[in-house]
């Protein structure tokens, strides 16, 4: 489909978001809004940095508050203003920003915004049509509401970590704070859009309580249903599939190169054997049916590993796919960024010039709208880069007043 690009400003143009979020899930939530045209004003502090500003990787390996690639990708298209919210003057400025905002977002532990005088009840007094997003780990109610947690914690308490690993070995985890990247930001952004839709129809704002453990639990559907229906507690199983074999990751030639292969049917198994030259150790009669393969899955995995080890991963993937066998290389970051023709064709990677890091790679929005496409509209902001701009545009404060407020430690 050709994209008509009728509104390059984005479908959320005209929406203002006052963004108190930090770290992963909150920042990704508001990135989705910013890349589709919302004016997301990120409230930061030089005294208490967003942890992502200090997170690797850093451009050219040199650390700095404006050099984190992680922070950059999660904060594209936003503006940054630094406020020292410990000062009442700064809180007064924040209230003035909120007064004309459409959305206010935070992902702090419950009670944090209230202690700053920026809780929902206080803000709705000055802006009753505002949509207020709170996305703590456990939500606003319940015996664990005040627990502090990060993506790793959420993976642990929901059972996700337990299922990630090989049988008989300690949980391996997902290798990253998976809840921060998929379930929580996307669910939160959807909730914001639903509330904005409701406001457009009724004129009324509302409070959104996202307990980040709950979208994460949505990842565990089969395990939850198995226990609900059968009383069975799902166990870690590595790459294996309970219903057929082989399914796994097998070595290819070169250092740390692998191919994922699955043969769910007898026809796929036969095609896999033929593509590998029909090695005798895979030609046992009992392997000709699904139950026999599943019972001998360990022996088959070892035999397959010996057969695949001489192949280059991309070549083996192409041969198996052409034969009708589900297969794919286990891509590393370089493969995904430089060598994936599908992502290249779809323009997923956006290169934008950052004022300190130079040309920087960003992820484009993960979905495409034909008439109102989103995009990385500007690079991630420097710390406080837009303080004077926002003060002038939104608060009517001129450069001399900004300088005075900086000197007083209000804007910091």
């Amino acid at each position: 489909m050709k994209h008509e690009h009728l509104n390059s400003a984005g479908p959320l143009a005209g929406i203002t978001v006052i963004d108190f979020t930090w770290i992963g899930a909150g920042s990704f939530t508001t990135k989705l809004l910013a890349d589709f045209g919302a004016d997301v004003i990120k409230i930061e502090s030089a005294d208490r940095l967003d942890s992502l500003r200090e997170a690797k990787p850093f451009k050219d390996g040199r650390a700095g508050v404006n050099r984190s690639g992680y922070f950059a990708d999660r904060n594209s298209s936003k503006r940054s203003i630094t406020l020292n919210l410990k000062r009442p003057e700064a809180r007064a400025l924040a209230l003035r920003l909120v007064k004309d905002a459409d959305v206010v977002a935070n992902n702090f532990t419950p009670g944090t915004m209230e202690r700053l005088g920026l809780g929902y009840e206080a803000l709705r007094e000055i802006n009753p049509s505002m949509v207020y997003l709170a996305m703590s780990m456990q939500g606003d109610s319940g015996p664990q509401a005040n627990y502090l947690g990060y993506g790793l914690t959420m993976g642990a308490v929901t059972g996700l970590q337990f299922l990630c690993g090989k049988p008989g070995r300690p949980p391996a985890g997902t290798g990253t704070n998976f809840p921060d990247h998929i379930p929580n930001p996307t669910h939160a952004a959807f909730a914001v859009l639903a509330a904005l839709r409701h406001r457009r129809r009724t004129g009324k704002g509302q409070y959104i309580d996202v307990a980040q453990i709950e979208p994460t639990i949505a990842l565990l559907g089969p395990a939850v249903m198995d226990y609900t229906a059968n009383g069975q507690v799902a166990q870690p199983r590595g790459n294996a599939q309970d219903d057929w074999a082989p399914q796994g990751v097998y070595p290819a030639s070169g250092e740390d190169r692998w191919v994922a292969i699955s043969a769910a049917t007898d026809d796929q198994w036969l095609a896999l054997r033929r593509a590998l030259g029909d090695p005798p150790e895979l030609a046992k009669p009992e392997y000709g049916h699904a139950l026999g393969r599943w019972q001998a899955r360990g022996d088959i995995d070892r035999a397959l590993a010996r057969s695949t080890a001489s192949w280059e991963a991309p070549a083996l993937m192409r041969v198996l796919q052409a034969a009708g066998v589900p297969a794919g290389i286990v891509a590393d970051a370089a493969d995904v960024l430089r060598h994936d023709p599908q992502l290249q064709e779809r323009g997923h990677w956006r290169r934008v010039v950052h004022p300190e890091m130079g040309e920087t790679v960003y992820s484009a929005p993960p979905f495409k709208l034909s008439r109102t496409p989103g995009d990385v509209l500007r690079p991630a902001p420097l710390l406080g880069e837009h303080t004077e701009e926002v003060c002038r545009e939104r608060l009517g404060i001129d450069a001399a007043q900004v300088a005075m407020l900086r000197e007083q430690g209000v804007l910091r």
Side-chain angles (χ1 to χ4, degrees), residues 120 131-135 140 188 191-193 195-196 206-210:
Y120 176 63
V131 171
Y132 190 102
L133 170 66
M135 46 188 307
D140 285 351
V192 169
L193 296 178
L196 287 173
Q206 61 184 301
Y207 183 86
I208 301 171
D209 175 16
V210 175

Side-chain angles (χ1 to χ4, degrees), residues 239-260:
N239 296 307
Q241 168 60 247
D242 283 345
D243 299 324
W244 65 74
Q247 174 167 291
V249 172
Y250 304 92
S253 65
E255 184 177 353
D256 205 20
R257 303 300 287 171
W258 305 83
V259 177

Side-chain angles (χ1 to χ4, degrees), residues 7-18 33-41 77 79 97-103 127 129 192-193 196 199-200 372 377-378 393-394:
N7 182 1
S8 59
L12 295 180
I15 296 295
T16 299
V17 180
I18 306 303
L33 306 177
D35 284 349
F36 280 91
D39 183 14
V40 176
I41 300 172
S77 306
R79 299 197 284 176
L97 288 172
V98 167
K99 185 176 181 180
D100 297 319
D102 301 288
V103 179
N127 186 353
S129 66
V192 169
L193 296 178
L196 287 173
R199 189 189 69 162
R200 188 174 74 179
T372 52
L377 304 178
R378 64 174 71 90
E393 293 179 3
R394 296 275 174 176

Side-chain angles (χ1 to χ4, degrees), residues 192-394:
V192 169
L193 296 178
L196 287 173
R197 166 74 172 173
H198 176 264
R199 189 189 69 162
R200 188 174 74 179
R201 298 177 65 183
T202 67
K204 297 179 180 179
Q206 61 184 301
Y207 183 86
I208 301 171
D209 175 16
V210 175
Q212 290 196 45
I213 60 166
E214 293 173 18
T216 305
I217 289 173
L219 299 170
L220 306 177
V224 171
M225 290 304 297
D226 194 18
Y227 183 75
T228 302
N230 305 313
Q232 295 186 37
V233 177
Q235 299 295 312
R237 59 190 184 192
N239 296 307
Q241 168 60 247
D242 283 345
D243 299 324
W244 65 74
Q247 174 167 291
V249 172
Y250 304 92
S253 65
E255 184 177 353
D256 205 20
R257 303 300 287 171
W258 305 83
V259 177
I261 301 172
S262 180
T265 68
D266 295 346
D267 287 343
Q268 289 174 356
W269 168 249
L270 184 58
L272 172 60
R273 281 176 42 195
R274 289 172 175 169
L276 294 174
D278 218 3
E281 56 187 336
L282 296 178
K284 296 180 180 181
E286 59 268 32
Y287 295 173
H289 53 86
L291 179 59
R293 291 193 299 276
W294 192 85
Q295 290 173 332
R297 59 193 180 280
D299 291 338
I300 289 176
D301 281 344
R302 287 184 286 272
L304 272 178
R306 288 189 288 271
S307 294
T308 61
S310 61
W311 287 76
E312 290 190 354
L316 178 57
M317 176 188 71
R318 289 191 294 269
V319 166
L320 293 179
Q321 288 180 351
V325 179
I329 66 168
V330 178
D332 59 22
D335 293 324
V336 174
L337 183 62
R338 297 178 179 175
H339 306 136
D340 190 305
Q342 182 70 13
L343 293 175
Q344 297 291 342
E345 172 65 24
R346 290 179 59 81
H348 177 78
W349 301 114
R350 316 302 280 172
R351 288 170 168 79
V352 181
V353 177
H354 183 275
E356 183 168 331
M357 293 188 285
E359 186 176 83
T360 310
V361 177
Y362 293 81
S363 296
F367 38 85
K368 297 181 181 295
L369 280 64
S370 62
R371 289 179 175 268
T372 52
D375 205 345
V376 177
L377 304 178
R378 64 174 71 90
L382 303 176
L383 179 63
E385 178 182 354
H386 303 97
T387 298
E388 185 172 331
E389 178 181 291
V390 171
C391 284
R392 181 181 67 252
E393 293 179 3
R394 296 275 174 176

